[in-house]
Amino acid sequence: ELYGYSSLYLMLARNEIYARHGYMFRDPNIQRYFNYKSWYLGTVPAAEFTDAVFNDYEMSNISAIVAEENRRGGAAESLYWFD
């Protein structure tokens, strides 16, 4: 199902799961991207974040996205173009 999506889309989809739990991104471009989302409230520094907040559905989605990213040779680099 993930085959048809771009690497950038996969990276954003994976990070959106983290963002919905308040993850504050180390990558300034990803942080800026989610800052523009009305629903995003970055409240948890990356160093304090734990994946224990994810439910089984979220963990399954993250695993599937990471598997597809790995199949392609890695995740998209970043949102270098986002301003």
Side-chain angles (χ1 to χ4, degrees):
E1 183 177 323
L2 298 173
Y3 181 77
Y5 292 109
S6 71
S7 293
L8 178 60
Y9 180 88
L10 293 176
M11 186 267 295
L12 290 174
R14 177 174 42 82
N15 282 301
E16 183 173 327
I17 299 168
Y18 286 81
R20 291 199 177 269
H21 288 280
Y23 185 87
M24 296 170 66
F25 297 91
R26 290 185 176 116
D27 183 310
N29 291 312
I30 296 173
Q31 182 64 51
R32 193 171 19 230
Y33 174 83
F34 285 108
N35 284 342
Y36 280 101
K37 303 296 182 186
S38 62
W39 51 263
Y40 176 69
L41 298 172
T43 57
V44 185
E48 297 174 19
F49 191 85
T50 174
D51 62 2
V53 300
F54 298 137
N55 62 37
D56 291 342
Y57 181 74
E58 290 167 324
M59 288 300 295
S60 177
N61 284 340
I62 291 168
S63 294
I65 293 168
V66 168
E68 178 61 20
E69 288 174 325
N70 289 339
R71 187 190 72 74
R72 295 178 185 196
E77 287 297 314
S78 181
L79 296 177
Y80 65 88
W81 49 265
F82 188 77
D83 286 316

